[in-house]
Amino acid sequence: MLLAGKTAAISGAASARGIGRATSLLFAEHGARVAILDIDGAAAQAAAAELGPQHLGLCCDVADKASCTQAAERVLGAFGVLDILINNAGITQPVKTLEIDEASWDRIQDVNTKGVLFLSQAFLPSMRARRQGAIACMSSVSAQRGGGIFGGPHYSAAKAGVLGLAKAMAREFGPDGIRVNCVAPGLVQTDITAGKLSDAMRAEIVRGIPLGRLGEARDVAGIFLFLASDLSAYVTGAVIDVNGGMLIHG
Ligand code: NAD
């Protein structure tokens, strides 16, 4: 039990096959009390109920500051303190540079990057007051290699923004005992890519992955567990790749 007695909030954790949901299950297995925050409030409540009565499911649009503030107030009201924040919520859009209109650019940035800022801002004051906290943020291999498989250039830019934001927060809040890290997954089989992957595309992608398979949500959940737990007590400002070797840095 790596998270016994800890409390955690995870954004974007309602969708059944998602990384956030797998993370909430693993955290609960490790003894944490979990708040599932998702734009789909009904699904968030159902997901929390499945974990057990001590968990919480709330509607929260991470791109909306007031929504984040309200969700944080409710989580802190129910749990008293928050030890762990997982900024996982995200959306993508498979378009090319010349097809990106302003509204699409804004929405992709708002959810993927501004959402990390707003939800972190909502919980950081209480973490700072206790001089402890672990925040982990969702980036993507798309940020590192200039495009994944499905994300457009605006998604790469947004996920690269997450890397910079998380590192800056790590620097700023390290003296307050708060760690901030990132996870950069390769292609993980969830609803974000569901139905968009033909057998031929899958085979082509797998050929470029040394470990010879696509990622599973639980592969990423394990890294979030590491970053949330005291096993990573001396790790901050780090980016952990979870891509089966799809991108090996020089
Ligand atoms: P998913 O679609 O299963 O999960 C995304 C969740 O975020 C959903 O529950 C959705 O309702 C929620 N959400 C969407 N907009 C929101 C908002 N404004 N506020 C709150 N919640 C919102 O997809 P997933 O693959 O589990 O994605 C989780 C994260 O992982 C995303 O940030 C995604 O960009 C990132 N990611 C995914 C992959 C992959 O291959 N699946 C790879 C790298 C990074």
Coordinates of all heavy atoms in Angstrom, one line a residue, residues 11-15 17-20 37-40 60-63 88-91 107 111-112 138-141 155 159 185-193, ligand 1:
S11 N -8.1 14.5 -12.4 CA -8.9 15.1 -13.4 C -9.1 14.2 -14.6 O -8.1 13.4 -14.9 CB -8.4 16.5 -13.8 OG -7.2 16.4 -14.6
G12 N -10.2 14.3 -15.3 CA -10.4 13.5 -16.5 C -10.4 12.0 -16.2 O -9.8 11.2 -16.9
A13 N -11.0 11.6 -15.0 CA -10.9 10.2 -14.6 C -12.2 9.4 -14.7 O -12.4 8.4 -14.1 CB -10.3 10.1 -13.2
A14 N -13.1 9.9 -15.5 CA -14.5 9.3 -15.5 C -14.6 8.3 -16.7 O -15.3 7.3 -16.5 CB -15.6 10.3 -15.7
S15 N -13.9 8.5 -17.8 CA -14.1 7.6 -19.0 C -13.6 6.2 -18.7 O -12.5 6.0 -18.1 CB -13.5 8.2 -20.2 OG -12.1 8.1 -20.2
R17 N -12.4 3.5 -20.2 CA -11.1 2.9 -20.6 C -9.9 3.8 -20.4 O -8.9 3.6 -20.9 CB -11.2 2.4 -22.0 CG -12.3 1.4 -22.3 CD -12.3 0.8 -23.7 NE -11.8 1.7 -24.7 CZ -10.8 1.4 -25.6 NH1 -10.2 0.2 -25.5 NH2 -10.5 2.3 -26.5
G18 N -10.2 5.0 -19.7 CA -9.2 6.0 -19.7 C -8.0 5.8 -18.7 O -8.1 5.0 -17.8
I19 N -7.0 6.6 -18.9 CA -5.8 6.6 -18.1 C -6.2 7.1 -16.7 O -5.7 6.6 -15.7 CB -4.7 7.5 -18.7 CG1 -4.2 6.8 -20.0 CG2 -3.5 7.6 -17.7 CD1 -3.3 7.7 -20.9
G20 N -7.0 8.1 -16.6 CA -7.4 8.7 -15.3 C -8.2 7.7 -14.5 O -7.9 7.5 -13.3
L37 N -12.5 14.1 -10.8 CA -13.1 15.3 -11.3 C -13.1 15.2 -12.8 O -12.1 15.0 -13.5 CB -12.1 16.5 -10.9 CG -11.7 16.6 -9.5 CD1 -10.8 17.8 -9.2 CD2 -12.9 16.6 -8.5
D38 N -14.3 15.4 -13.4 CA -14.5 15.3 -14.8 C -15.6 16.2 -15.4 O -16.5 16.5 -14.6 CB -14.8 13.8 -15.2 CG -14.5 13.4 -16.6 OD1 -15.2 13.8 -17.5 OD2 -13.4 12.7 -16.8
I39 N -15.4 16.6 -16.6 CA -16.5 17.4 -17.2 C -17.8 16.7 -17.3 O -18.9 17.3 -17.3 CB -16.0 17.9 -18.6 CG1 -16.8 19.1 -19.1 CG2 -16.0 16.8 -19.6 CD1 -16.2 19.9 -20.2
D40 N -17.7 15.4 -17.3 CA -18.9 14.5 -17.3 C -19.2 14.1 -15.8 O -18.7 13.2 -15.3 CB -18.7 13.3 -18.1 CG -20.0 12.4 -18.3 OD1 -20.9 12.5 -17.4 OD2 -20.0 11.5 -19.2
C60 N -16.3 18.8 -13.0 CA -15.3 19.9 -13.1 C -14.8 20.1 -14.5 O -14.3 19.2 -15.1 CB -14.2 19.6 -12.1 SG -12.8 20.8 -12.2
D61 N -15.0 21.3 -15.0 CA -14.4 21.6 -16.3 C -13.1 22.3 -16.0 O -13.0 23.5 -15.5 CB -15.3 22.6 -17.1 CG -14.7 23.0 -18.4 OD1 -13.6 22.6 -18.7 OD2 -15.4 23.7 -19.2
V62 N -12.0 21.6 -16.3 CA -10.6 22.2 -15.9 C -10.3 23.5 -16.6 O -9.5 24.2 -16.2 CB -9.5 21.1 -16.1 CG1 -9.7 19.9 -15.2 CG2 -9.4 20.7 -17.6
A63 N -11.0 23.7 -17.8 CA -10.7 24.9 -18.5 C -11.5 26.1 -17.9 O -11.3 27.3 -18.4 CB -11.2 24.7 -20.0
N88 N -4.8 15.1 -15.3 CA -4.8 14.2 -16.4 C -5.7 14.6 -17.5 O -5.5 14.2 -18.7 CB -5.2 12.8 -15.8 CG -5.6 11.8 -16.9 OD1 -4.7 11.3 -17.6 ND2 -6.9 11.6 -17.1
A89 N -6.7 15.4 -17.3 CA -7.8 15.7 -18.3 C -7.1 16.3 -19.5 O -6.2 17.1 -19.5 CB -8.8 16.7 -17.7
G90 N -7.6 15.8 -20.7 CA -7.1 16.3 -21.9 C -8.0 15.9 -23.1 O -8.8 15.0 -23.0
I91 N -7.9 16.7 -24.2 CA -8.6 16.4 -25.4 C -7.6 16.5 -26.6 O -6.6 17.2 -26.5 CB -9.8 17.3 -25.7 CG1 -9.4 18.8 -25.6 CG2 -10.9 17.0 -24.7 CD1 -10.4 19.7 -26.1
R107 N -9.5 25.8 -27.7 CA -10.1 24.7 -26.9 C -9.0 23.7 -26.5 O -9.0 23.2 -25.4 CB -11.2 24.1 -27.6 CG -12.0 23.1 -26.8 CD -12.7 23.8 -25.6 NE -13.3 22.8 -24.7 CZ -13.6 23.1 -23.4 NH1 -13.3 24.3 -22.9 NH2 -14.1 22.2 -22.6
V111 N -8.1 23.2 -22.5 CA -8.3 22.0 -21.7 C -6.9 21.4 -21.3 O -6.7 21.1 -20.1 CB -9.1 21.0 -22.4 CG1 -9.2 19.7 -21.6 CG2 -10.5 21.5 -22.8
N112 N -6.0 21.3 -22.2 CA -4.8 20.6 -22.0 C -3.8 21.4 -21.1 O -3.0 20.8 -20.3 CB -4.1 20.2 -23.3 CG -4.9 19.1 -24.0 OD1 -5.0 18.0 -23.5 ND2 -5.5 19.4 -25.2
M138 N -0.2 15.5 -17.1 CA -0.2 14.7 -18.3 C 0.4 15.4 -19.5 O -0.3 16.4 -19.9 CB -1.6 14.2 -18.5 CG -1.8 13.4 -19.8 SD -0.7 11.9 -19.8 CE -1.8 10.7 -19.0
S139 N 1.5 15.0 -20.0 CA 2.0 15.5 -21.3 C 1.8 14.4 -22.3 O 0.8 13.7 -22.2 CB 3.4 16.0 -21.2 OG 3.9 16.5 -22.4
S140 N 2.7 14.3 -23.3 CA 2.5 13.3 -24.3 C 3.8 13.2 -25.1 O 4.6 14.2 -25.2 CB 1.4 13.7 -25.3 OG 1.4 12.9 -26.4
V141 N 4.1 12.1 -25.7 CA 5.2 11.9 -26.6 C 5.0 12.9 -27.8 O 6.0 13.4 -28.4 CB 5.3 10.5 -27.2 CG1 4.1 10.2 -28.1 CG2 6.6 10.2 -27.8
Y155 N -2.2 20.3 -30.4 CA -2.1 19.4 -29.3 C -0.6 19.2 -28.8 O -0.3 19.3 -27.6 CB -2.7 18.0 -29.7 CG -2.6 16.9 -28.7 CD1 -3.5 16.9 -27.6 CD2 -1.7 15.9 -28.7 CE1 -3.5 15.9 -26.7 CE2 -1.6 14.9 -27.8 CZ -2.5 14.9 -26.8 OH -2.5 13.9 -25.8
K159 N 0.7 20.2 -25.1 CA 1.4 19.2 -24.3 C 2.8 19.7 -24.0 O 3.4 19.3 -22.9 CB 1.3 17.8 -24.9 CG -0.1 17.2 -24.9 CD -0.7 17.1 -23.5 CE -2.0 16.3 -23.5 NZ -2.7 16.3 -22.2
P185 N 3.2 9.8 -22.1 CA 2.9 8.5 -22.7 C 3.0 8.5 -24.3 O 2.9 9.6 -24.9 CB 1.5 8.3 -22.3 CG 1.1 9.3 -21.3 CD 2.0 10.5 -21.6
G186 N 3.3 7.4 -24.8 CA 3.2 7.1 -26.2 C 1.7 6.8 -26.5 O 0.8 7.4 -25.9
L187 N 1.5 5.9 -27.5 CA 0.1 5.6 -27.8 C -0.5 4.6 -26.9 O 0.0 3.5 -26.8 CB 0.1 5.1 -29.3 CG -1.3 5.0 -29.8 CD1 -2.1 6.3 -29.8 CD2 -1.3 4.4 -31.3
V188 N -1.5 5.1 -26.2 CA -2.2 4.2 -25.2 C -3.6 3.9 -25.7 O -4.3 4.9 -26.1 CB -2.3 4.9 -23.8 CG1 -2.9 4.1 -22.8 CG2 -0.8 5.3 -23.4
Q189 N -4.1 2.7 -25.5 CA -5.4 2.3 -26.1 C -6.5 2.8 -25.1 O -6.8 2.1 -24.1 CB -5.4 0.8 -26.3 CG -4.3 0.4 -27.2 CD -4.4 -1.1 -27.6 OE1 -5.2 -1.5 -28.5 NE2 -3.7 -1.9 -26.9
T190 N -7.1 3.9 -25.4 CA -8.2 4.4 -24.7 C -9.3 5.0 -25.6 O -9.1 4.9 -26.8 CB -7.8 5.6 -23.7 OG1 -7.4 6.7 -24.6 CG2 -6.6 5.2 -22.9
D191 N -10.3 5.6 -25.1 CA -11.4 6.1 -25.9 C -10.9 7.3 -26.8 O -11.6 7.7 -27.7 CB -12.6 6.5 -25.1 CG -13.3 5.3 -24.6 OD1 -13.2 4.2 -25.2 OD2 -14.0 5.4 -23.6
I192 N -9.8 7.9 -26.4 CA -9.3 9.1 -27.1 C -8.9 8.7 -28.5 O -9.0 9.5 -29.5 CB -8.2 9.8 -26.3 CG1 -8.3 11.3 -26.4 CG2 -6.8 9.4 -26.8 CD1 -7.4 12.1 -25.4
T193 N -8.5 7.4 -28.7 CA -8.1 7.0 -30.0 C -9.1 5.9 -30.6 O -8.9 5.4 -31.7 CB -6.7 6.3 -30.0 OG1 -6.7 5.3 -28.9 CG2 -5.7 7.4 -29.7
Ligands
NAD1 P1 -10.1 9.7 -22.4 O1 -10.8 10.4 -23.5 O2 -10.5 8.3 -22.1 O3 -10.1 10.5 -21.1 C1 -10.1 11.9 -21.0 C2 -11.0 12.3 -19.9 O4 -11.0 13.7 -19.8 C3 -12.5 12.0 -20.2 O5 -13.1 11.3 -19.0 C4 -13.2 13.3 -20.4 O6 -14.5 13.4 -20.0 C5 -12.3 14.2 -19.6 N1 -12.3 15.6 -20.0 C6 -12.3 16.1 -21.3 N2 -12.4 17.5 -21.2 C7 -12.4 17.8 -19.9 C8 -12.5 19.1 -19.2 N3 -12.5 20.2 -19.9 N4 -12.5 19.1 -17.8 C9 -12.4 17.9 -17.2 N5 -12.4 16.7 -17.8 C10 -12.4 16.7 -19.1 O7 -8.6 9.7 -22.9 P2 -7.2 9.2 -22.3 O8 -6.4 8.7 -23.4 O9 -7.4 8.5 -21.0 O10 -6.5 10.7 -21.9 C11 -6.1 11.1 -20.7 C12 -4.9 12.1 -20.9 O11 -3.8 11.4 -21.4 C13 -5.2 13.2 -21.8 O12 -4.7 14.4 -21.3 C14 -4.5 12.8 -23.1 O13 -4.2 13.9 -23.9 C15 -3.3 12.1 -22.5 N6 -2.6 11.2 -23.4 C16 -3.2 10.2 -24.0 C17 -2.5 9.3 -24.8 C18 -3.2 8.1 -25.5 O14 -2.6 7.6 -26.4 N7 -4.4 7.7 -25.1 C19 -1.2 9.6 -25.1 C20 -0.6 10.6 -24.5 C21 -1.3 11.5 -23.6

